[in-house]
Amino acid sequence: MADYKITCCSTADITVERLAELGCAFGKYHYIIDGKDYLDSLYASETPAEFYGKIDAGAMPTTAQVSPEELCALFEPILSAGYDLLHIEFSSGLSGGWQSALQAQKIMAEKYPERKVYVVDSLAASSGYGLLVAKAVELKNGGMPIDELKTWIEDNRLNLRHWFYATNLMHFKRGGRVSGPSAVIGTALKICPVMDVNDEGKLIVREKALGRKKALRSIFNHMCQQAQGGMDYSGKCYICHSMMDEDALALKAMIEEAFPHLDGEVEIYPIGTVIGSHTGPGTVAVFFFSKDKRTR
């Protein structure tokens, strides 16, 4: 049985160092500012403060998915070295990158017919996607064969929960998540939409909280209600944020106090440039595995 490698994309929003620890090569999505195309390097080329500073100064970044050619360039060195491949891709509900992955899979499978080339739709985003990748690596390192791991991801990806809130609705207006009038009024009144990702991998507004503190308490309460094993949850928990260090640290402290059996400390990551182009500064998210699957 051939050994295999796991790959992902930069929209997993964990650090380059963490991906190196996991042994995951990654494809890079793109973001465009003032007509210039940049690769999402997971802040290897600029800091979160520099990126979000450009947005605060008036930049309106757009994004572009990873191409089939870029994914083929990611896959080929692995396959040519004799490894099988399992690529976990950013949610098809949020990007066309999934179609790029399928095209790259077809090309590589035809070129390397002796190798297994699998791609899986994570139906996940940002550091939630990163948490799914980390769990997949853990299972691989524990001896799970590639076929079983592909099935495990497909069977369990909807148990990965994303709960987050935004304090600046103008960026969500650009992406069509909230209407223009709602964004203006909501931002003025300090209304924070509380959102999650549904079973199609799409962002859905579930609640509206008045102020950051209530929004933070809301996503914490959702974890308390949904975590596998209840307050005895023993899995990992990730938090990501866009220039909201105070809220992220407060949420981390709340979770670590409430869940004494966590698998290690809560890990905090910055929201990357691609996701951050759509959220702007002011977003906080928590990710964990739940006892129930996501719904519509």
Side-chain angles (χ1 to χ4, degrees):
M1 182 175 65
D3 194 6
Y4 66 99
K5 299 287 187 181
I6 295 172
T7 59
C8 65
C9 281
S10 60
T11 39
D13 284 358
I14 54 180
T15 62
V16 172
E17 293 78 14
R18 182 72 177 115
L19 284 170
E21 290 173 2
L22 294 170
C24 284
F26 65 98
K28 297 175 183 177
Y29 275 60
H30 300 248
Y31 65 101
I32 300 95
I33 293 182
D34 297 329
K36 185 174 180 180
D37 189 315
Y38 298 86
L39 288 174
D40 179 9
S41 65
L42 295 173
Y43 296 118
S45 58
E46 66 178 334
T47 67
E50 289 169 339
F51 173 71
Y52 289 109
K54 293 175 184 176
I55 294 177
D56 283 336
M60 300 289 280
T62 58
T63 60
Q65 66 200 45
V66 65
S67 71
E69 294 76 18
E70 288 168 321
L71 287 175
C72 284
L74 175 71
F75 297 168
E76 184 148 27
I78 295 169
L79 297 168
S80 65
Y83 294 98
D84 291 337
L85 175 75
L86 175 60
H87 177 71
I88 306 172
E89 183 53 53
F90 183 44
S91 174
S92 62
L94 296 172
S95 168
W98 169 241
Q99 295 302 321
S100 293
L102 290 177
Q103 292 178 52
Q105 177 193 32
K106 184 176 185 295
I107 293 167
M108 290 293 100
E110 291 175 352
K111 188 169 183 178
Y112 295 94
E114 74 282 8
R115 302 264 66 87
K116 292 179 179 178
V117 186
Y118 294 151
V119 299
V120 182
D121 184 353
S122 68
L123 296 176
S126 196
S127 301
Y129 172 22
L131 177 54
L132 185 63
V133 170
K135 182 64 179 179
V137 170
E138 176 188 329
L139 293 171
K140 173 187 179 294
N141 292 343
M144 185 175 286
I146 187 170
D147 296 271
E148 289 183 27
L149 182 55
K150 176 180 181 293
T151 299
W152 186 93
I153 294 170
E154 292 170 340
D155 288 345
N156 290 273
R157 60 192 171 185
L158 294 182
N159 292 96
L160 175 64
R161 302 309 295 255
H162 309 56
W163 282 101
F164 60 104
Y165 62 89
T167 61
N168 185 334
L169 305 188
M170 303 311 293
H171 297 282
F172 285 86
K173 176 184 76 69
R174 288 177 53 213
R177 307 299 176 192
V178 297
S179 68
S182 294
V184 172
I185 295 169
T187 299
L189 295 178
K190 301 186 184 303
I191 293 173
C192 300
V194 174
M195 294 168 271
D196 77 344
V197 173
N198 72 3
D199 60 346
E200 295 180 331
K202 298 177 180 179
L203 306 186
I204 302 292
V205 176
R206 299 296 189 188
E207 304 167 14
K208 294 177 182 178
L210 186 57
R212 288 165 49 192
K213 289 184 178 180
K214 289 185 178 179
L216 187 150
R217 175 60 63 175
S218 174
I219 65 173
F220 170 74
N221 287 342
H222 281 295
M223 181 172 179
C224 293
Q225 294 161 8
Q226 296 173 340
Q228 286 179 355
M231 308 312 288
D232 291 324
Y233 178 64
S234 58
K236 289 190 177 294
C237 176
Y238 285 6
I239 290 170
C240 69
H241 69 99
S242 52
M243 304 306 293
M244 295 285 282
D245 299 81
E246 181 181 342
D247 286 31
L249 289 170
L251 181 58
K252 170 184 166 76
M254 291 165 62
I255 292 169
E256 290 180 345
E257 180 179 2
F259 294 90
H261 304 296
L262 287 172
D263 182 7
E265 290 188 7
V266 174
E267 298 179 31
I268 300 179
Y269 296 102
I271 294 176
T273 53
V274 171
I275 307 294
S277 293
H278 299 281
T279 68
T283 295
V284 179
V286 63
F287 312 96
F288 58 93
F289 286 95
S290 71
K291 54 193 174 185
D292 299 314
K293 294 186 182 299
R294 288 182 247 153
T295 62
R296 189 62 50 89

Short mmCIF file of all heavy atoms in Angstrom, two decimals, residues 186-236:
data_model
loop_
_atom_site.label_atom_id
_atom_site.label_comp_id
_atom_site.label_asym_id
_atom_site.label_seq_id
_atom_site.Cartn_x
_atom_site.Cartn_y
_atom_site.Cartn_z
N GLY A 186 -27.29 48.66 10.82
CA GLY A 186 -26.72 47.72 11.78
C GLY A 186 -25.40 48.19 12.33
O GLY A 186 -25.14 48.08 13.54
N THR A 187 -24.53 48.72 11.45
CA THR A 187 -23.23 49.22 11.92
C THR A 187 -23.43 50.40 12.85
O THR A 187 -22.77 50.51 13.90
CB THR A 187 -22.35 49.61 10.72
OG1 THR A 187 -22.12 48.44 9.91
CG2 THR A 187 -21.01 50.15 11.19
N ALA A 188 -24.35 51.30 12.52
CA ALA A 188 -24.60 52.47 13.35
C ALA A 188 -25.14 52.08 14.72
O ALA A 188 -24.78 52.69 15.74
CB ALA A 188 -25.58 53.41 12.66
N LEU A 189 -25.98 51.05 14.77
CA LEU A 189 -26.58 50.62 16.04
C LEU A 189 -25.74 49.57 16.77
O LEU A 189 -26.16 49.07 17.81
CB LEU A 189 -27.98 50.05 15.77
CG LEU A 189 -29.02 51.03 15.23
CD1 LEU A 189 -30.33 50.31 14.95
CD2 LEU A 189 -29.22 52.19 16.18
N LYS A 190 -24.56 49.24 16.19
CA LYS A 190 -23.66 48.24 16.78
C LYS A 190 -24.31 46.85 16.86
O LYS A 190 -24.10 46.10 17.82
CB LYS A 190 -23.16 48.68 18.16
CG LYS A 190 -22.40 50.00 18.16
CD LYS A 190 -21.80 50.32 19.50
CE LYS A 190 -21.13 51.68 19.52
NZ LYS A 190 -20.08 51.83 18.52
N ILE A 191 -25.12 46.55 15.84
CA ILE A 191 -25.71 45.22 15.75
C ILE A 191 -24.70 44.28 15.09
O ILE A 191 -24.14 44.59 14.04
CB ILE A 191 -27.01 45.25 14.93
CG1 ILE A 191 -28.08 46.04 15.69
CG2 ILE A 191 -27.51 43.83 14.64
CD1 ILE A 191 -29.34 46.28 14.91
N CYS A 192 -24.46 43.16 15.73
CA CYS A 192 -23.49 42.18 15.23
C CYS A 192 -24.23 40.93 14.77
O CYS A 192 -24.78 40.21 15.62
CB CYS A 192 -22.48 41.81 16.31
SG CYS A 192 -21.53 43.18 16.95
N PRO A 193 -24.26 40.64 13.48
CA PRO A 193 -24.87 39.38 13.06
C PRO A 193 -24.05 38.19 13.53
O PRO A 193 -22.82 38.21 13.47
CB PRO A 193 -24.88 39.48 11.54
CG PRO A 193 -23.80 40.44 11.21
CD PRO A 193 -23.74 41.41 12.35
N VAL A 194 -24.73 37.19 14.04
CA VAL A 194 -24.08 35.94 14.44
C VAL A 194 -24.39 34.92 13.34
O VAL A 194 -25.55 34.68 13.02
CB VAL A 194 -24.62 35.46 15.80
CG1 VAL A 194 -24.05 34.09 16.15
CG2 VAL A 194 -24.28 36.47 16.88
N MET A 195 -23.34 34.35 12.77
CA MET A 195 -23.48 33.52 11.58
C MET A 195 -22.87 32.14 11.80
O MET A 195 -22.05 31.95 12.69
CB MET A 195 -22.80 34.20 10.39
CG MET A 195 -23.46 35.50 9.96
SD MET A 195 -22.48 36.46 8.78
CE MET A 195 -21.51 37.46 9.92
N ASP A 196 -23.28 31.20 10.95
CA ASP A 196 -22.57 29.93 10.87
C ASP A 196 -22.51 29.51 9.41
O ASP A 196 -22.91 30.24 8.50
CB ASP A 196 -23.19 28.87 11.78
CG ASP A 196 -24.47 28.25 11.24
OD1 ASP A 196 -25.08 28.81 10.32
OD2 ASP A 196 -24.86 27.18 11.75
N VAL A 197 -21.97 28.31 9.18
CA VAL A 197 -21.87 27.75 7.84
C VAL A 197 -22.83 26.57 7.78
O VAL A 197 -22.81 25.70 8.66
CB VAL A 197 -20.43 27.31 7.54
CG1 VAL A 197 -20.35 26.56 6.22
CG2 VAL A 197 -19.51 28.53 7.51
N ASN A 198 -23.68 26.53 6.76
CA ASN A 198 -24.72 25.50 6.72
C ASN A 198 -24.23 24.22 6.06
O ASN A 198 -23.04 24.06 5.77
CB ASN A 198 -25.99 26.05 6.07
CG ASN A 198 -25.85 26.25 4.56
OD1 ASN A 198 -24.83 25.94 3.95
ND2 ASN A 198 -26.89 26.79 3.96
N ASP A 199 -25.16 23.31 5.79
CA ASP A 199 -24.78 22.00 5.25
C ASP A 199 -24.33 22.05 3.80
O ASP A 199 -23.81 21.06 3.27
CB ASP A 199 -25.92 21.00 5.41
CG ASP A 199 -27.19 21.41 4.70
OD1 ASP A 199 -27.30 22.60 4.28
OD2 ASP A 199 -28.09 20.57 4.54
N GLU A 200 -24.51 23.21 3.14
CA GLU A 200 -24.01 23.39 1.79
C GLU A 200 -22.69 24.16 1.78
O GLU A 200 -22.18 24.51 0.71
CB GLU A 200 -25.04 24.13 0.94
CG GLU A 200 -26.32 23.35 0.73
CD GLU A 200 -27.33 24.09 -0.12
OE1 GLU A 200 -27.31 25.36 -0.09
OE2 GLU A 200 -28.11 23.44 -0.82
N GLY A 201 -22.16 24.43 2.97
CA GLY A 201 -20.92 25.18 3.06
C GLY A 201 -21.06 26.66 2.79
O GLY A 201 -20.09 27.33 2.42
N LYS A 202 -22.26 27.20 3.00
CA LYS A 202 -22.53 28.61 2.76
C LYS A 202 -22.73 29.35 4.08
O LYS A 202 -23.21 28.77 5.05
CB LYS A 202 -23.79 28.77 1.89
CG LYS A 202 -23.66 28.16 0.51
CD LYS A 202 -24.95 28.28 -0.27
CE LYS A 202 -24.82 27.66 -1.66
NZ LYS A 202 -26.10 27.76 -2.42
N LEU A 203 -22.41 30.65 4.09
CA LEU A 203 -22.59 31.48 5.29
C LEU A 203 -24.06 31.84 5.45
O LEU A 203 -24.72 32.26 4.49
CB LEU A 203 -21.78 32.77 5.18
CG LEU A 203 -20.28 32.65 4.89
CD1 LEU A 203 -19.63 34.02 4.98
CD2 LEU A 203 -19.61 31.68 5.85
N ILE A 204 -24.55 31.70 6.69
CA ILE A 204 -25.95 32.00 6.99
C ILE A 204 -26.01 32.85 8.26
O ILE A 204 -25.39 32.51 9.27
CB ILE A 204 -26.76 30.70 7.23
CG1 ILE A 204 -26.69 29.79 6.01
CG2 ILE A 204 -28.20 31.03 7.58
CD1 ILE A 204 -27.40 30.31 4.79
N VAL A 205 -26.77 33.94 8.22
CA VAL A 205 -27.00 34.74 9.42
C VAL A 205 -28.06 34.03 10.25
O VAL A 205 -29.16 33.74 9.77
CB VAL A 205 -27.47 36.16 9.07
CG1 VAL A 205 -27.79 36.95 10.34
CG2 VAL A 205 -26.40 36.90 8.26
N ARG A 206 -27.73 33.74 11.52
CA ARG A 206 -28.65 33.01 12.39
C ARG A 206 -29.29 33.91 13.45
O ARG A 206 -30.41 33.68 13.88
CB ARG A 206 -27.91 31.87 13.10
CG ARG A 206 -27.32 30.83 12.17
CD ARG A 206 -28.38 30.07 11.39
NE ARG A 206 -27.80 28.93 10.68
CZ ARG A 206 -28.45 28.18 9.81
NH1 ARG A 206 -29.71 28.46 9.53
NH2 ARG A 206 -27.86 27.16 9.21
N GLU A 207 -28.55 34.93 13.91
CA GLU A 207 -29.04 35.80 14.97
C GLU A 207 -28.50 37.20 14.74
O GLU A 207 -27.59 37.41 13.93
CB GLU A 207 -28.56 35.32 16.35
CG GLU A 207 -28.90 33.89 16.71
CD GLU A 207 -28.11 33.44 17.93
OE1 GLU A 207 -27.53 34.29 18.63
OE2 GLU A 207 -28.05 32.22 18.16
N LYS A 208 -29.04 38.15 15.50
CA LYS A 208 -28.49 39.50 15.53
C LYS A 208 -28.31 39.90 16.98
O LYS A 208 -29.29 39.96 17.74
CB LYS A 208 -29.40 40.48 14.79
CG LYS A 208 -29.49 40.20 13.30
CD LYS A 208 -30.44 41.14 12.59
CE LYS A 208 -30.54 40.80 11.11
NZ LYS A 208 -31.52 41.68 10.41
N ALA A 209 -27.06 40.15 17.37
CA ALA A 209 -26.75 40.50 18.75
C ALA A 209 -26.48 42.00 18.84
O ALA A 209 -25.90 42.59 17.93
CB ALA A 209 -25.54 39.72 19.24
N LEU A 210 -26.88 42.59 19.94
CA LEU A 210 -26.66 44.02 20.15
C LEU A 210 -25.32 44.18 20.87
O LEU A 210 -25.24 44.05 22.10
CB LEU A 210 -27.80 44.63 20.98
CG LEU A 210 -27.75 46.15 21.15
CD1 LEU A 210 -27.73 46.86 19.79
CD2 LEU A 210 -28.95 46.62 21.97
N GLY A 211 -24.28 44.42 20.11
CA GLY A 211 -22.97 44.67 20.69
C GLY A 211 -22.06 43.45 20.68
O GLY A 211 -22.51 42.30 20.62
N ARG A 212 -20.77 43.72 20.78
CA ARG A 212 -19.75 42.67 20.70
C ARG A 212 -19.85 41.68 21.85
O ARG A 212 -19.69 40.47 21.65
CB ARG A 212 -18.36 43.31 20.72
CG ARG A 212 -17.97 44.02 19.46
CD ARG A 212 -16.78 44.93 19.67
NE ARG A 212 -15.67 44.26 20.35
CZ ARG A 212 -14.61 44.91 20.85
NH1 ARG A 212 -14.54 46.23 20.75
NH2 ARG A 212 -13.64 44.25 21.44
N LYS A 213 -20.08 42.17 23.06
CA LYS A 213 -20.10 41.27 24.21
C LYS A 213 -21.20 40.22 24.08
O LYS A 213 -21.00 39.04 24.39
CB LYS A 213 -20.24 42.06 25.51
CG LYS A 213 -19.00 42.87 25.88
CD LYS A 213 -19.16 43.55 27.23
CE LYS A 213 -17.90 44.31 27.60
NZ LYS A 213 -18.03 44.99 28.91
N LYS A 214 -22.38 40.65 23.64
CA LYS A 214 -23.48 39.70 23.48
C LYS A 214 -23.21 38.74 22.32
O LYS A 214 -23.57 37.56 22.39
CB LYS A 214 -24.79 40.45 23.28
CG LYS A 214 -25.28 41.16 24.54
CD LYS A 214 -26.63 41.80 24.34
CE LYS A 214 -27.11 42.45 25.65
NZ LYS A 214 -28.44 43.11 25.49
N ALA A 215 -22.57 39.24 21.28
CA ALA A 215 -22.23 38.37 20.15
C ALA A 215 -21.22 37.31 20.58
O ALA A 215 -21.34 36.14 20.23
CB ALA A 215 -21.69 39.20 19.00
N LEU A 216 -20.22 37.74 21.33
CA LEU A 216 -19.21 36.80 21.82
C LEU A 216 -19.86 35.74 22.71
O LEU A 216 -19.58 34.54 22.59
CB LEU A 216 -18.11 37.55 22.57
CG LEU A 216 -16.88 36.76 23.00
CD1 LEU A 216 -15.65 37.67 23.02
CD2 LEU A 216 -17.06 36.13 24.37
N ARG A 217 -20.73 36.18 23.61
CA ARG A 217 -21.42 35.25 24.50
C ARG A 217 -22.29 34.28 23.68
O ARG A 217 -22.39 33.10 24.02
CB ARG A 217 -22.29 36.02 25.49
CG ARG A 217 -23.16 35.19 26.39
CD ARG A 217 -22.38 34.22 27.27
NE ARG A 217 -21.49 34.88 28.20
CZ ARG A 217 -20.80 34.24 29.13
NH1 ARG A 217 -20.91 32.90 29.24
NH2 ARG A 217 -19.97 34.89 29.92
N SER A 218 -22.87 34.76 22.59
CA SER A 218 -23.72 33.92 21.76
C SER A 218 -22.93 32.77 21.14
O SER A 218 -23.35 31.61 21.19
CB SER A 218 -24.39 34.74 20.66
OG SER A 218 -25.11 33.90 19.77
N ILE A 219 -21.77 33.07 20.54
CA ILE A 219 -21.03 31.98 19.89
C ILE A 219 -20.44 31.02 20.94
O ILE A 219 -20.34 29.82 20.68
CB ILE A 219 -19.96 32.50 18.91
CG1 ILE A 219 -18.85 33.29 19.60
CG2 ILE A 219 -20.60 33.35 17.81
CD1 ILE A 219 -17.70 33.66 18.66
N PHE A 220 -20.11 31.54 22.12
CA PHE A 220 -19.68 30.66 23.20
C PHE A 220 -20.81 29.73 23.62
O PHE A 220 -20.62 28.52 23.82
CB PHE A 220 -19.21 31.50 24.39
CG PHE A 220 -18.96 30.71 25.64
CD1 PHE A 220 -17.84 29.90 25.77
CD2 PHE A 220 -19.85 30.77 26.71
CE1 PHE A 220 -17.61 29.16 26.92
CE2 PHE A 220 -19.64 30.04 27.87
CZ PHE A 220 -18.50 29.23 27.97
N ASN A 221 -22.02 30.28 23.74
CA ASN A 221 -23.17 29.45 24.14
C ASN A 221 -23.47 28.38 23.11
O ASN A 221 -23.86 27.26 23.47
CB ASN A 221 -24.40 30.34 24.35
CG ASN A 221 -24.31 31.16 25.62
OD1 ASN A 221 -23.54 30.86 26.52
ND2 ASN A 221 -25.11 32.22 25.70
N HIS A 222 -23.30 28.70 21.84
CA HIS A 222 -23.53 27.69 20.81
C HIS A 222 -22.54 26.53 20.98
O HIS A 222 -22.92 25.36 20.80
CB HIS A 222 -23.39 28.31 19.41
CG HIS A 222 -24.60 29.07 18.98
ND1 HIS A 222 -25.82 28.46 18.77
CD2 HIS A 222 -24.79 30.39 18.73
CE1 HIS A 222 -26.72 29.38 18.40
NE2 HIS A 222 -26.11 30.55 18.37
N MET A 223 -21.31 26.84 21.31
CA MET A 223 -20.35 25.76 21.54
C MET A 223 -20.76 24.93 22.75
O MET A 223 -20.69 23.69 22.71
CB MET A 223 -18.94 26.32 21.73
CG MET A 223 -17.90 25.22 21.94
SD MET A 223 -16.20 25.83 21.95
CE MET A 223 -15.33 24.27 22.26
N CYS A 224 -21.20 25.57 23.81
CA CYS A 224 -21.64 24.83 25.01
C CYS A 224 -22.80 23.90 24.69
O CYS A 224 -22.88 22.78 25.22
CB CYS A 224 -22.04 25.81 26.10
SG CYS A 224 -20.67 26.79 26.78
N GLN A 225 -23.69 24.33 23.82
CA GLN A 225 -24.88 23.54 23.49
C GLN A 225 -24.58 22.41 22.50
O GLN A 225 -25.26 21.38 22.51
CB GLN A 225 -25.95 24.46 22.90
CG GLN A 225 -26.50 25.47 23.88
CD GLN A 225 -27.19 26.65 23.19
OE1 GLN A 225 -27.38 26.63 21.97
NE2 GLN A 225 -27.54 27.66 23.95
N GLN A 226 -23.56 22.58 21.65
CA GLN A 226 -23.40 21.68 20.51
C GLN A 226 -22.17 20.79 20.57
O GLN A 226 -22.11 19.80 19.84
CB GLN A 226 -23.34 22.50 19.22
CG GLN A 226 -24.64 23.25 18.93
CD GLN A 226 -24.50 24.18 17.74
OE1 GLN A 226 -23.40 24.56 17.34
NE2 GLN A 226 -25.62 24.56 17.16
N ALA A 227 -21.18 21.10 21.39
CA ALA A 227 -19.91 20.38 21.36
C ALA A 227 -20.10 18.88 21.60
O ALA A 227 -20.94 18.48 22.42
CB ALA A 227 -18.94 20.96 22.38
N GLN A 228 -19.35 18.06 20.90
CA GLN A 228 -19.38 16.61 21.12
C GLN A 228 -19.00 16.32 22.57
O GLN A 228 -17.98 16.78 23.05
CB GLN A 228 -18.38 15.91 20.19
CG GLN A 228 -18.81 15.85 18.75
CD GLN A 228 -17.78 15.16 17.86
OE1 GLN A 228 -16.69 14.79 18.29
NE2 GLN A 228 -18.12 14.98 16.58
N GLY A 229 -19.85 15.56 23.25
CA GLY A 229 -19.57 15.27 24.66
C GLY A 229 -19.96 16.37 25.60
O GLY A 229 -19.66 16.30 26.79
N GLY A 230 -20.64 17.39 25.10
CA GLY A 230 -21.05 18.50 25.97
C GLY A 230 -19.85 19.20 26.58
O GLY A 230 -18.84 19.45 25.90
N MET A 231 -19.92 19.49 27.87
CA MET A 231 -18.84 20.21 28.53
C MET A 231 -17.62 19.33 28.76
O MET A 231 -16.58 19.81 29.20
CB MET A 231 -19.33 20.80 29.86
CG MET A 231 -20.60 21.62 29.75
SD MET A 231 -20.59 22.85 28.40
CE MET A 231 -19.42 24.04 29.07
N ASP A 232 -17.73 18.04 28.41
CA ASP A 232 -16.59 17.13 28.46
C ASP A 232 -15.91 17.03 27.10
O ASP A 232 -15.10 16.11 26.86
CB ASP A 232 -17.03 15.74 28.92
CG ASP A 232 -17.43 15.71 30.38
OD1 ASP A 232 -16.81 16.43 31.18
OD2 ASP A 232 -18.38 14.97 30.72
N TYR A 233 -16.22 17.94 26.19
CA TYR A 233 -15.61 17.95 24.86
C TYR A 233 -14.10 17.79 24.97
O TYR A 233 -13.44 18.52 25.71
CB TYR A 233 -15.94 19.27 24.15
CG TYR A 233 -15.32 19.43 22.78
CD1 TYR A 233 -15.68 18.59 21.74
CD2 TYR A 233 -14.40 20.45 22.53
CE1 TYR A 233 -15.13 18.75 20.47
CE2 TYR A 233 -13.86 20.62 21.27
CZ TYR A 233 -14.21 19.76 20.24
OH TYR A 233 -13.66 19.92 18.99
N SER A 234 -13.58 16.80 24.22
CA SER A 234 -12.15 16.51 24.33
C SER A 234 -11.42 16.69 23.00
O SER A 234 -10.29 16.22 22.84
CB SER A 234 -11.96 15.07 24.83
OG SER A 234 -12.60 14.14 23.95
N GLY A 235 -12.07 17.34 22.06
CA GLY A 235 -11.43 17.62 20.78
C GLY A 235 -10.67 18.93 20.81
O GLY A 235 -10.51 19.57 21.86
N LYS A 236 -10.22 19.34 19.63
CA LYS A 236 -9.53 20.62 19.51
C LYS A 236 -10.51 21.73 19.21
O LYS A 236 -11.61 21.50 18.71
CB LYS A 236 -8.47 20.54 18.41
CG LYS A 236 -7.26 19.69 18.77
CD LYS A 236 -6.15 19.84 17.77
CE LYS A 236 -4.93 19.03 18.18
NZ LYS A 236 -4.33 19.57 19.43
#
